[in-house]
mmCIF file of all heavy atoms in Angstrom:
data_model
loop_
_atom_site.group_PDB
_atom_site.id
_atom_site.type_symbol
_atom_site.label_atom_id
_atom_site.label_comp_id
_atom_site.label_asym_id
_atom_site.label_seq_id
_atom_site.Cartn_x
_atom_site.Cartn_y
_atom_site.Cartn_z
ATOM 1 N N VAL A 69 -58.950 55.901 124.733
ATOM 2 C CA VAL A 69 -59.149 56.573 126.022
ATOM 3 C C VAL A 69 -57.822 57.134 126.551
ATOM 4 O O VAL A 69 -57.778 58.238 127.089
ATOM 5 C CB VAL A 69 -59.838 55.620 127.039
ATOM 6 C CG1 VAL A 69 -59.817 56.182 128.441
ATOM 7 C CG2 VAL A 69 -61.246 55.318 126.590
ATOM 8 N N ALA A 70 -56.756 56.352 126.444
ATOM 9 C CA ALA A 70 -55.451 56.815 126.921
ATOM 10 C C ALA A 70 -55.001 58.042 126.163
ATOM 11 O O ALA A 70 -54.536 59.026 126.765
ATOM 12 C CB ALA A 70 -54.416 55.692 126.789
ATOM 13 N N ILE A 71 -55.154 58.053 124.867
ATOM 14 C CA ILE A 71 -54.770 59.193 124.059
ATOM 15 C C ILE A 71 -55.651 60.399 124.393
ATOM 16 O O ILE A 71 -55.184 61.532 124.506
ATOM 17 C CB ILE A 71 -54.814 58.849 122.565
ATOM 18 C CG1 ILE A 71 -53.684 57.860 122.240
ATOM 19 C CG2 ILE A 71 -54.699 60.102 121.695
ATOM 20 C CD1 ILE A 71 -53.801 57.216 120.877
ATOM 21 N N GLU A 72 -56.940 60.135 124.560
ATOM 22 C CA GLU A 72 -57.885 61.200 124.929
ATOM 23 C C GLU A 72 -57.498 61.791 126.296
ATOM 24 O O GLU A 72 -57.559 63.009 126.491
ATOM 25 C CB GLU A 72 -59.306 60.621 124.983
ATOM 26 C CG GLU A 72 -60.405 61.611 124.901
ATOM 27 C CD GLU A 72 -61.729 60.884 124.840
ATOM 28 O OE1 GLU A 72 -62.049 60.341 123.756
ATOM 29 O OE2 GLU A 72 -62.431 60.886 125.856
ATOM 30 N N GLY A 73 -57.082 60.949 127.217
ATOM 31 C CA GLY A 73 -56.650 61.421 128.542
ATOM 32 C C GLY A 73 -55.420 62.315 128.420
ATOM 33 O O GLY A 73 -55.298 63.306 129.134
ATOM 34 N N LEU A 74 -54.497 61.929 127.560
ATOM 35 C CA LEU A 74 -53.313 62.756 127.333
ATOM 36 C C LEU A 74 -53.684 64.103 126.756
ATOM 37 O O LEU A 74 -53.114 65.133 127.130
ATOM 38 C CB LEU A 74 -52.331 62.024 126.387
ATOM 39 C CG LEU A 74 -51.585 60.838 126.985
ATOM 40 C CD1 LEU A 74 -50.824 60.110 125.871
ATOM 41 C CD2 LEU A 74 -50.629 61.301 128.073
ATOM 42 N N GLN A 75 -54.653 64.133 125.840
ATOM 43 C CA GLN A 75 -55.014 65.355 125.159
ATOM 44 C C GLN A 75 -55.887 66.261 126.036
ATOM 45 O O GLN A 75 -55.639 67.467 126.123
ATOM 46 C CB GLN A 75 -55.783 65.044 123.867
ATOM 47 C CG GLN A 75 -54.915 64.453 122.805
ATOM 48 C CD GLN A 75 -55.757 64.033 121.581
ATOM 49 O OE1 GLN A 75 -56.908 63.705 121.699
ATOM 50 N NE2 GLN A 75 -55.106 64.050 120.420
ATOM 51 N N LYS A 76 -56.892 65.711 126.681
ATOM 52 C CA LYS A 76 -57.898 66.529 127.354
ATOM 53 C C LYS A 76 -57.561 66.934 128.771
ATOM 54 O O LYS A 76 -57.982 67.983 129.246
ATOM 55 C CB LYS A 76 -59.255 65.815 127.356
ATOM 56 C CG LYS A 76 -59.957 65.785 126.035
ATOM 57 C CD LYS A 76 -61.313 65.207 126.174
ATOM 58 C CE LYS A 76 -62.033 65.192 124.828
ATOM 59 N NZ LYS A 76 -63.329 64.549 124.920
ATOM 60 N N TYR A 77 -56.865 66.100 129.500
ATOM 61 C CA TYR A 77 -56.703 66.316 130.936
ATOM 62 C C TYR A 77 -55.290 66.748 131.296
ATOM 63 O O TYR A 77 -54.839 66.476 132.403
ATOM 64 C CB TYR A 77 -57.117 65.050 131.709
ATOM 65 C CG TYR A 77 -58.520 64.631 131.405
ATOM 66 C CD1 TYR A 77 -58.777 63.480 130.661
ATOM 67 C CD2 TYR A 77 -59.599 65.431 131.780
ATOM 68 C CE1 TYR A 77 -60.084 63.088 130.364
ATOM 69 C CE2 TYR A 77 -60.901 65.042 131.466
ATOM 70 C CZ TYR A 77 -61.121 63.897 130.791
ATOM 71 O OH TYR A 77 -62.406 63.513 130.472
ATOM 72 N N ASN A 78 -54.608 67.379 130.398
ATOM 73 C CA ASN A 78 -53.260 67.931 130.649
ATOM 74 C C ASN A 78 -52.336 66.891 131.264
ATOM 75 O O ASN A 78 -51.536 67.186 132.129
ATOM 76 C CB ASN A 78 -53.337 69.159 131.539
ATOM 77 C CG ASN A 78 -54.005 70.318 130.836
ATOM 78 O OD1 ASN A 78 -53.857 70.470 129.642
ATOM 79 N ND2 ASN A 78 -54.720 71.145 131.600
ATOM 80 N N ALA A 79 -52.480 65.666 130.826
ATOM 81 C CA ALA A 79 -51.641 64.583 131.364
ATOM 82 C C ALA A 79 -50.202 64.762 130.916
ATOM 83 O O ALA A 79 -49.289 64.237 131.575
ATOM 84 C CB ALA A 79 -52.156 63.223 130.906
ATOM 85 N N LEU A 80 -49.957 65.516 129.855
ATOM 86 C CA LEU A 80 -48.599 65.723 129.409
ATOM 87 C C LEU A 80 -47.786 66.515 130.409
ATOM 88 O O LEU A 80 -46.542 66.413 130.461
ATOM 89 C CB LEU A 80 -48.590 66.429 128.056
ATOM 90 C CG LEU A 80 -49.157 65.617 126.870
ATOM 91 C CD1 LEU A 80 -49.246 66.466 125.603
ATOM 92 C CD2 LEU A 80 -48.299 64.393 126.624
ATOM 93 N N LYS A 81 -48.474 67.282 131.257
ATOM 94 C CA LYS A 81 -47.764 68.050 132.293
ATOM 95 C C LYS A 81 -47.441 67.190 133.508
ATOM 96 O O LYS A 81 -46.657 67.581 134.344
ATOM 97 C CB LYS A 81 -48.612 69.267 132.709
ATOM 98 C CG LYS A 81 -48.772 70.276 131.593
ATOM 99 C CD LYS A 81 -49.645 71.424 132.010
ATOM 100 C CE LYS A 81 -49.809 72.362 130.824
ATOM 101 N NZ LYS A 81 -50.789 73.447 131.114
ATOM 102 N N ASP A 82 -48.084 66.063 133.600
ATOM 103 C CA ASP A 82 -47.875 65.125 134.717
ATOM 104 C C ASP A 82 -47.107 63.918 134.144
ATOM 105 O O ASP A 82 -47.722 63.030 133.541
ATOM 106 C CB ASP A 82 -49.205 64.696 135.308
ATOM 107 C CG ASP A 82 -49.061 63.765 136.512
ATOM 108 O OD1 ASP A 82 -47.910 63.399 136.841
ATOM 109 O OD2 ASP A 82 -50.079 63.434 137.123
ATOM 110 N N PRO A 83 -45.766 63.876 134.359
ATOM 111 C CA PRO A 83 -44.954 62.788 133.750
ATOM 112 C C PRO A 83 -45.407 61.382 134.192
ATOM 113 O O PRO A 83 -45.356 60.445 133.391
ATOM 114 C CB PRO A 83 -43.539 63.058 134.215
ATOM 115 C CG PRO A 83 -43.542 64.473 134.731
ATOM 116 C CD PRO A 83 -44.951 64.821 135.080
ATOM 117 N N ASP A 84 -45.863 61.264 135.450
ATOM 118 C CA ASP A 84 -46.296 59.945 135.926
ATOM 119 C C ASP A 84 -47.539 59.461 135.155
ATOM 120 O O ASP A 84 -47.604 58.319 134.712
ATOM 121 C CB ASP A 84 -46.589 60.013 137.428
ATOM 122 C CG ASP A 84 -46.920 58.670 137.994
ATOM 123 O OD1 ASP A 84 -46.202 57.703 137.660
ATOM 124 O OD2 ASP A 84 -47.893 58.555 138.806
ATOM 125 N N LYS A 85 -48.514 60.359 135.019
ATOM 126 C CA LYS A 85 -49.718 60.013 134.248
ATOM 127 C C LYS A 85 -49.396 59.749 132.800
ATOM 128 O O LYS A 85 -49.932 58.822 132.189
ATOM 129 C CB LYS A 85 -50.722 61.199 134.334
ATOM 130 C CG LYS A 85 -52.008 60.878 134.991
ATOM 131 C CD LYS A 85 -52.928 62.062 134.903
ATOM 132 C CE LYS A 85 -53.977 61.973 135.968
ATOM 133 N NZ LYS A 85 -54.872 63.105 135.983
#
Side-chain angles (χ1 to χ4, degrees):
V69 169
I71 291 168
E72 198 174 287
L74 287 171
Q75 289 174 332
K76 286 186 179 177
Y77 304 111
N78 292 326
L80 293 174
K81 293 178 183 174
D82 183 356
D84 185 44
K85 242 185 201 178

